[in-house]
Amino acid sequence: MWRLAEIMRTVKKLYPLLCDFSHLLRAYHKAFAGTKNTEAYRFCFHLETELLALQQELADMSYQPKPYRYFEIYDPKQRTISVAAFRDRVVHHAIVALLEPIYEAIYMHHSYATRKGKGTYSAIKAAQKMLRRNYWYLKADVRKYFESINPDVLMQCLQKKVKDANFMTITERIVRNAPATSGLPIGNLTSQFFANVYLHELDMYVLHQLKPEGYIRYMDDFVLFSNDKQLLQAALLEIRAYLDTTLQLQLKEKAVQINHAAHGLSFLGTRIFRGTIRVRQQNLRLSLRRLRLKHHLYKRGKLEESRFLCSANSIMAHLGKTDSLRLRQQLHFLYRDAPPYTKRKPHSE
């Protein structure tokens, strides 16, 4: 365990590590894993030349990230995904690899997104445990979170911990690379990481100032638990004010809910009760629609078996986090002509 003095200590010598060739090589391997595009293969073919050029640009501070490519997805609502150039993704992995252990040492236990050993299932089980201990909960999430993140506030958050000027200069170039004046682009490893850093400030405020009996946050979705309903009502007012004045964020008011634990909690695609966990109907319909579409494409020969299995395993793994054995048995029966679902190795989300 880190002592308090170590946790509060700032970090000053990150930039030489960022420019280290072996560190960039490790970052390349992480960025290349699972990648199937011409740009990544071209980088791989000229790997040593590309990495040496990237190392030189970082060393002399001439590195500038390239513009993003964009495409739209509907999952189920419309989102704009930003795709960074492959060489920039290498730098993203290099930066996060250095920052991750630093922030893991100060993150609250109650934060579950983009952290090794945490993930959605751990958050769901922790929420159920807190439901059993408390009568009331306050659930909320941030309105248009990624696009509402203020780059100036984000850099101030990072500078509380990192005092390496060159490292912060390169980081700021990545943060401000999007054409909009505010927000982080959806789809970047750095965006996921920085978004978690941003709401670490909320974690500390809730746990040290509001002090509910229980608290869980998964990215911008968070839940407070208490046996005192009035405490949660007062906490809601305090959180609104803190987000507005300190982090320049707004709650999604339609999603704010103070409810009794006996009525269940909708959280991370599930409906959590003290004795059981069910799939939310909206998420179930979406999952079944995806499975039917993938199966239809597979039957017509328009989808490879490996890709169908990957999608089916993902859907079944999500359902497996809930009390849905009968439903999964029915799905196996309906798609018995498809290749058998493989048992995936457990992994950290």
Side-chain angles (χ1 to χ4, degrees):
M1 292 292 292
W2 283 41
R3 297 188 300 272
L4 180 61
E6 292 173 315
I7 291 175
M8 298 303 292
R9 186 175 57 196
T10 58
V11 181
K12 297 181 180 180
K13 297 182 179 181
L14 285 179
Y15 201 64
L17 299 176
L18 180 66
C19 299
D20 181 73
F21 185 87
S22 60
H23 181 68
L24 291 174
L25 180 61
R26 287 190 294 271
Y28 153 76
H29 284 298
K30 290 182 179 180
F32 189 78
T35 301
K36 294 182 179 180
N37 62 60
T38 304
E39 183 188 13
Y41 289 140
R42 187 182 298 115
F43 192 100
C44 176
F45 187 78
H46 303 284
L47 180 59
E48 184 174 2
T49 302
E50 291 282 1
L51 283 182
L52 285 172
L54 191 57
Q55 181 187 35
Q56 184 60 44
E57 289 177 29
L58 289 169
D60 61 23
M61 298 295 293
S62 64
Y63 168 78
Q64 291 286 349
K66 295 184 177 180
Y68 293 110
R69 292 187 294 107
Y70 299 95
F71 66 91
E72 303 292 328
I73 64 169
Y74 300 85
D75 189 31
K77 61 183 180 181
Q78 183 176 356
R79 296 178 186 272
T80 300
I81 303 300
S82 306
V83 182
F86 183 77
R87 72 193 312 268
D88 292 333
R89 295 205 294 274
V90 174
V91 178
H92 295 176
H93 277 275
I95 287 174
V96 170
L98 293 174
L99 291 178
E100 192 172 47
I102 296 169
Y103 278 93
E104 274 297 321
I106 63 171
Y107 276 153
M108 302 296 186
H109 172 75
H110 312 74
S111 170
Y112 284 83
T114 67
R115 296 180 63 190
K116 294 177 182 178
K118 296 282 189 175
T120 56
Y121 185 63
S122 296
I124 290 167
K125 295 300 291 184
Q128 186 181 46
K129 187 175 182 180
M130 292 182 188
L131 272 184
R132 291 169 176 166
R133 295 178 175 176
N134 297 277
Y135 291 118
W136 298 94
Y137 67 82
L138 160 63
K139 179 182 177 296
D141 62 87
V142 177
R143 178 178 177 272
K144 296 182 179 180
Y145 179 47
F146 277 79
E147 61 190 81
S148 299
I149 291 174
N150 186 299
D152 295 329
V153 177
L154 173 59
M155 294 309 300
Q156 291 170 12
C157 293
L158 291 169
Q159 287 164 358
K160 290 179 181 179
K161 194 64 185 170
V162 181
K163 298 298 184 182
D164 187 316
N166 289 342
F167 185 89
M168 293 302 293
T169 297
I170 298 298
T171 300
E172 187 166 9
R173 289 176 188 173
I174 292 172
V175 168
R176 299 187 185 277
N177 189 35
T181 56
S182 293
L184 294 177
I186 298 175
N188 280 355
L189 175 69
T190 48
S191 295
Q192 293 285 331
F193 183 83
F194 293 149
N196 216 20
V197 170
Y198 203 79
L199 282 185
H200 171 64
E201 304 293 322
L202 175 65
D203 295 343
M204 293 191 295
Y205 177 75
V206 169
L207 292 169
H208 294 316
Q209 300 297 323
L210 305 182
K211 300 180 181 179
E213 280 86 346
Y215 173 69
I216 290 176
R217 181 177 64 81
Y218 192 95
M219 199 52 74
D220 63 310
D221 290 321
F222 58 92
V223 192
L224 284 71
F225 300 85
S226 178
N227 288 313
D228 185 348
K229 185 178 181 181
Q230 292 182 340
L231 184 148
L232 295 181
Q233 291 171 334
L236 176 58
L237 299 176
E238 296 286 344
I239 289 172
R240 277 201 190 102
Y242 178 81
L243 289 176
D244 181 43
T245 58
T246 305
L247 298 180
Q248 299 184 20
L249 300 173
Q250 304 292 326
L251 290 179
K252 188 188 300 179
E253 293 299 338
K254 291 183 178 180
V256 174
Q257 184 181 24
I258 296 178
N259 206 343
H260 197 281
H263 297 156
L265 165 65
S266 293
F267 189 52
L268 301 179
T270 65
R271 187 72 179 164
I272 306 171
F273 296 88
R274 287 170 169 172
T276 188
I277 301 172
R278 300 172 183 167
V279 187
R280 286 183 61 197
Q281 287 300 311
Q282 179 182 357
N283 294 79
L284 177 59
R285 286 193 297 269
L286 182 61
S287 295
L288 295 180
R289 190 182 306 127
R290 287 175 179 163
L291 184 57
R292 285 195 296 269
L293 174 61
K294 299 292 185 182
H295 183 253
H296 176 70
L297 294 175
Y298 167 73
K299 289 279 287 180
R300 296 182 62 185
K302 295 185 176 182
L303 186 67
E304 297 175 2
E305 179 178 309
S306 59
R307 295 186 63 186
F308 173 74
L309 280 174
C310 183
S311 297
N313 282 329
S314 176
I315 293 169
M316 297 298 282
H318 177 69
L319 295 176
K321 296 175 183 178
T322 65
D323 301 318
S324 58
L325 177 60
R326 184 175 298 179
L327 171 62
R328 283 177 281 137
Q329 289 174 336
Q330 291 173 346
L331 291 176
H332 278 301
F333 178 77
L334 287 173
Y335 300 107
R336 60 189 181 278
D337 61 315
Y341 301 115
T342 57
K343 186 175 181 180
R344 299 174 70 187
K345 294 180 181 179
H347 65 281
S348 300
E349 299 180 351

